[in-house]
């Protein structure tokens, strides 16, 4: 380039033959205006002056050069002309810099070289010469220069072996860059730079009140996209910024995100506005974090709001507003007269046990929280319903009354009291569970749940223990109150821990498993190592055969729930669980790991889980090398026949459990063998569970003991699939990526993986019936493998829960006529129909709330528990015994309403409902957008109370009231706007 510029006149005279030369010169000749030519000549002259010995000309030449460069740095559409013309002289300028002796001139020269370095290929010259320069305000050279510095800074900072002195210089420069960005509305770039160099603490000094909302919103939306521990640092930085500007409600939300209860208490102490404190208590109640407020002036009011004790009143007012108080019957939901009837009559008896059970559950789901129904209201009618079921069916039917009086403790307990004194233990146990269901999410100061249920925890009748232990788990999920945590007699946690080591005959594995699950629900997300250790000890005391009992899986789930969303705090436990014998140990350690990162969107963990899913479990590695393909298949068959009980169980089962399959479930797995050319006995069938089943079904011809087989870790794979859904639910991009991955897993995975995929899909969009997910699940619900079909049908219920989605209702009606012969599938279709109409379409199971930024741990725990049960449905939910586990969903059931409250002037200190106009529309992502963009689109105006669908947001329609919280959802407290001027419409005379 130097040559072309300087030899240009000669080049024209000679009329170069080289076409490339002309190609370069001709356009330049046309392009160069007189101004540009003059600028180029001036700059060439200035460089020439600098290379002359007369040092007195250096300073004026550099200053002229600086003003020429600065004059054009303002427009950034292309490379500025001065930089373009100076590029050939870059090395010359560096030489000139080395020869200058005067300090001020040297600094001025360094400044110019720093700017020129933007167009050079030399890395880090911009930074190095900036540090050597005169440290003028960084923005004087224009925004592009600052951005270039920031870009090089992140690379330079991460270089190995950077000395402390160098780091200090870079840090000083970083502070200049951040200060400039914050002043010029480039907060996003400032945050990005500090995230790159891991110094977000610097941000707090630069953020002003005017832009702190934008900065915090950006930090919080980046959190799901960053790996740990950076995601927690981002949230904690936002928390400090909110506290700096006294935004207490938002800072409480950040503290909830990182599950820091001591910080929540600390923020409560700082906030003085009584209405704000009440709104914070409501938020904690919605998130199901229950605290003690002794010592506060308004402790009673706060405790009342935090305990959700009035929730049912607001819910009933919504129901009356929507005119849906009229109770519905299961038949009104099924509308079986619309199903395609068969010409030769229905082969299943309409009054079968499973249908009665489904009717009890559906009645509970549909009328959930309304306090009126047609089956349970009259004692005699209810008893008749209960006795239509047998044994455990009676327990589940009796427990369904808890759903109907959900949240309404006074009425609900009076209704339950009728059945506490009957002779039938199953109904009594079900009523105890119903008391737990009514109390779940409500923390009454009298603690009726612990008073009534603790008496039966140590009962001599195992069935009473089942009802009371699960009831306590539901009633006190995620509670931090003294009643629950006290380490003495009658402390809920203390009593449940005693069950783990109980040796009474009534302490059957089922009771111990449920005690583990209940402890997990109560201590969810606390990372309480002591309780987890006791449960681990209980597992370690079991032999390998005892660990195959399906109930032991609930102890494992309890440990996992204790570490829900605790991220790296679970690492030690994940390792220690590997000491348990495989396949159980591998499954539990994976389960704890996925729970720890639930909802974080952590990509690295998802990759690890995908790697687990790609494994094929056939035979020992050594054997693979030594035998031919046929031999390998035969050895696999022999290895499986060595343990017929376990293999047979695996035929219907997604886990290595040695329990025989219950009636009503097919013993063979249709469509399992994948390779046609091998003889039946030597089929290397779909490796894993189905392979073992096929091998076990073949007659055991060889009586010689086979070499010990590699443990079948398919149960671990099922948990890994569920884990992908659980982790990816944290952000929308992750969810879309997970959908694609599930597509691959369905096509190429083992049967055990295919069975888990529908459940994982449902976790990605709970109560959000997206069309693509519904279509996929609908396809699976007709699968030839019964277990896959069962899981898909239940997953459809979760995806449409509480939405009344018309397309889903039609799909389920078609499914009911498709599965009319199969009682188990039909029962699940009925339950899915009940879930779709949950609370007559006013509720949601989605664990995200508060503008989809907070993930309720107890709701997530309940969804995970039920999906985990369905991994081994034939030995848990569908075994005609443990269908009561469906009630774990109760913790996730929340009304999706917006109710506005205002301080009651007649009774100061208390709140009353106020109906105001609100606009409800689709939420718009406004992160990092300039100005004040609209937050909703396509809105309609309603009067509160109003229902909010998934992905909708509300805002007040006028300025008469000011909301205490920026997120209008659930119960929202309003204040009068003192500056509001009502619009006066003058009528023409």
């Amino acid at each position: 380039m130097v040559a072309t510029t300087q030899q240009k006149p000669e080049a024209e005279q000679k009329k170069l033959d080289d076409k490339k030369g002309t190609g370069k010169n001709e356009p330049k000749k046309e392009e160069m205006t007189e101004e540009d030519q003059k600028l180029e000549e001036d700059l060439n002259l200035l460089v020439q002056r600098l290379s002359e010995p007369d040092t007195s000309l250096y300073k004026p030449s550099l200053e002229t050069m600086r003003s020429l460069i600065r004059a054009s740095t303002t427009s950034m559409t292309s490379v500025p002309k001065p930089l373009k013309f100076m590029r050939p002289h870059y090395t010359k300028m560096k030489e000139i810099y080395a020869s200058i002796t005067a300090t001020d001139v040297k600094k001025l020269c360094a400044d110019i070289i720093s700017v020129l370095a933007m167009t050079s290929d030399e890395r880090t010259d911009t930074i190095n010469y900036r540090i050597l320069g005169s440290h003028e305000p960084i923005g004087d050279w224009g925004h592009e220069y600052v951005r270039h510095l920031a870009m090089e800074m992140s690379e330079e900072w991460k270089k190995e072996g950077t000395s402390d002195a160098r780091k200090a210089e870079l840090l000083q420069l970083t502070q200049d860059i951040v200060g400039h960005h914050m002043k010029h509305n480039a907060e996003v770039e400032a945050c990005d730079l500090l995230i790159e160099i891991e110094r977000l603490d610097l941000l707090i000094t630069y953020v002003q009140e005017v832009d702190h909302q934008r900065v915090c919103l950006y930090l919080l939306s980046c959190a799901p996209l960053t790996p740990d521990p950076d995601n927690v640092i981002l949230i904690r930085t936002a928390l400090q910024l909110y506290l700096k500007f006294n935004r207490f409600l938002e800072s409480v939300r950040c503290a909830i995100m990182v599950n820091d209860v001591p910080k929540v208490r600390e923020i409560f102490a700082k906030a003085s506005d009584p209405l704000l404190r009440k709104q914070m208590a409501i938020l904690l109640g919605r998130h199901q974090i229950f605290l003690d407020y002794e010592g506060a002036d308004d402790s009673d009011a706060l405790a009342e709001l935090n305990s959700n004790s009035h929730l049912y009143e607001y819910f009933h007012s919504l129901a009356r507003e929507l005119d849906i108080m009229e109770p519905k019957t299961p038949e009104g939901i099924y509308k079986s007269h619309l199903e395609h009837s068969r010409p030769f009559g229905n082969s299943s008896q309409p009054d079968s046990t499973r249908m009665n059970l489904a009717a009890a559950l559906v009645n509970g789901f549909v009328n959930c929280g309304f306090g009126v129904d047609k089956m349970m209201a009259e004692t005699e009618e209810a008893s008749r319903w209960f006795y239509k079921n047998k044994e455990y069916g009676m327990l589940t039917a009796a427990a369904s009354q808890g759903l109907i009086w959900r949240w309404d403790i006074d009425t609900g307990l009076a209704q339950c009291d009728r059945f506490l004194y009957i002779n039938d233990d199953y109904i009594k146990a079900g009523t105890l569970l119903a008391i737990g269901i009514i109390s779940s999410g409500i923390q009454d100061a009298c603690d009726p749940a612990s008073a009534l249920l603790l008496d039966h925890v140590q009962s001599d009748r195992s069935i009473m223990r089942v009802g009371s232990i699960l009831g306590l788990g539901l009633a006190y999920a995620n509670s931090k109150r003294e009643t629950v945590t006290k380490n003495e007699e009658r402390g809920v946690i203390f009593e449940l821990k005693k069950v783990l080591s109980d040796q009474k005959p009534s302490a059957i594995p089922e009771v111990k498993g449920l005690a583990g699950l209940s402890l997990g629900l109560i201590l969810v997300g606390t990372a309480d190592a002591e309780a987890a250790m006791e449960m681990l000890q209980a597992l370690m005391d079991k032999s390998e055969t005892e660990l195959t009992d399906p109930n032991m899986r609930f102890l494992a789930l309890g440990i996992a729930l204790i570490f829900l969303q605790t991220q790296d705090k679970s690492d030690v436990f994940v390792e220690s669980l590997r000491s348990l014998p495989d396949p159980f140990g591998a499954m539990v350690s994976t389960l704890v790991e996925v729970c720890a990162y639930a909802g974080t969107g952590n990509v690295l963990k998802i990759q690890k889980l995908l790697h687990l899913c790609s494994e094929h479990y056939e035979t020992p590695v050594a054997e693979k090398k030594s035998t031919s393909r046929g031999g390998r298949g035969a050895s696999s068959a022999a290895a499986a026949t060595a343990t017929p009980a376990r293999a047979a169980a695996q035929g219907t089962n997604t886990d290595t459990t040695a329990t025989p399959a219950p009636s009503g479930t097919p013993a063979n797995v249709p469509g399992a063998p994948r390779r046609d050319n091998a003889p039946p006995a030597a089929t290397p069938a779909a490796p894993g569970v189905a392979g073992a089943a096929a091998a076990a079904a073949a007659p055991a011809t060889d009586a010689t003991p086979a070499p010990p087989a590699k443990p079948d870790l398919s149960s671990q794979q099922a948990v890994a699939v569920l884990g992908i859904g659980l982790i990816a639910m944290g952000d929308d991009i992750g969810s879309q990526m997970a959908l694609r991955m599930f597509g691959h897993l369905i096509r190429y995975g083992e049967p055990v993986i295919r069975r888990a995929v529908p459940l994982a899909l449902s976790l990605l969009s709970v109560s959000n019936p997206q069309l693509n997910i519904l279509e996929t699940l609908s396809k699976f619900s007709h699968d030839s493998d019964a277990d896959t079909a069962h899981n898909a049908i239940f997953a459809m219920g979760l995806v449409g829960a509480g939405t009344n989605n018309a397309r889903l209702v039609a799909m389920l009606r078609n499914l009911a006529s498709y599965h009319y012969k199969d009682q188990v599938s039909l029962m699940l279709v009925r339950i899915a129909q009940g879930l779709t109409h949950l609370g007559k379409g006013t509720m949601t199971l989605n664990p995200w709330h508060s503008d989809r930024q907070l993930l309720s741990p107890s709701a997530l725990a309940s969804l995970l528990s039920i999906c985990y049960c369905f991994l081994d449905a034939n030995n848990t939910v569908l075994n005609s015994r443990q269908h009561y586990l469906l009630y774990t969903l109760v913790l996730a059931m929340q009304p999706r309403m917006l109710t506005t409250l205002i301080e009651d002037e007649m009774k100061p200190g208390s709140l009353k409902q106020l109906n105001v106009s609100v606009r409800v529309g689709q939420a718009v992502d406004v992160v990092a957008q300039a100005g004040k963009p609209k937050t909703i689109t396509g809105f309609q105006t309603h009067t509160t109370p109003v229902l909010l669908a998934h992905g909708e947001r509300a805002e007040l329609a006028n300025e008469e009231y000011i909301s205490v919280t920026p997120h209008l959802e659930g119960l929202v407290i309003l204040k009068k706007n003192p500056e509001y001027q009502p619009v006066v419409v003058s009528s023409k005379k």
Side-chain angles (χ1 to χ4, degrees), residues 333-334 361-362 365-366 802 829-839:
I333 296 302
Y334 305 156
L361 284 162
V362 170
F365 288 148
V366 174
V829 172
R830 297 308 187 202
I831 289 171
Q833 286 176 309
L835 283 172
T836 308
H837 294 279
L838 183 65

Side-chain angles (χ1 to χ4, degrees), residues 558-590:
I559 297 174
L561 293 180
I562 288 176
F563 289 103
L564 191 73
Q565 289 185 291
T566 52
Q567 301 195 25
D568 48 0
K569 289 182 191 163
S570 67
D571 291 353
V572 180
F573 250 84
V574 171
E575 288 310 314
S576 54
L577 285 162
R578 292 190 203 284
S579 62
L580 292 166
D582 281 345
F584 193 79
M587 185 270 292
V588 183
S589 62
T590 308

Side-chain angles (χ1 to χ4, degrees), residues 507-567:
I508 54 175
E510 185 176 5
V511 168
K512 292 193 174 181
L514 287 175
L517 174 59
S518 291
L519 279 169
L521 291 172
I522 294 169
L523 293 167
V524 64
T526 53
D528 182 331
E530 188 188 334
M533 201 64 226
E534 287 191 34
M535 284 147 84
L536 175 59
Q537 196 56 51
L539 286 173
M540 285 179 161
D541 294 343
K542 302 276 181 279
S543 67
E544 196 169 342
T545 30
E546 285 176 311
L547 285 177
T548 57
D549 186 312
N551 290 298
M552 289 302 110
R553 294 161 51 97
F554 292 120
L555 274 172
L557 179 60
I559 297 174
L561 293 180
I562 288 176
F563 289 103
L564 191 73
Q565 289 185 291
T566 52
Q567 301 195 25

Side-chain angles (χ1 to χ4, degrees), residues 181-210:
H181 277 329
M182 294 308 291
K183 279 188 197 129
H184 293 82
N185 297 342
E187 301 93 348
V188 169
E189 289 171 29
C191 294
D192 284 345
L193 174 60
L194 292 173
I195 291 169
E196 279 290 326
I197 66 166
E198 298 177 350
R199 285 302 304 268
L200 266 174
D201 51 300
L202 300 174
L203 192 61
I204 292 158
T205 48
Y206 290 100
V207 175
Q208 300 302 314
E209 183 152 15
V210 67

Side-chain angles (χ1 to χ4, degrees), residues 597-610:
Y597 289 89
T600 57
N602 189 313
V603 182
L604 302 174
K605 294 289 170 197
I606 292 178
Q607 285 172 355
K608 187 176 170 186
L609 295 172
L610 278 172

Side-chain angles (χ1 to χ4, degrees), residues 58-74:
Y58 285 4
K59 192 168 185 182
S61 306
L62 286 168
E63 279 171 351
T64 315
M65 195 182 284
R66 178 173 66 179
S67 56
L68 282 173
I69 293 173
R70 273 194 189 166
S72 69
T73 317
T74 48

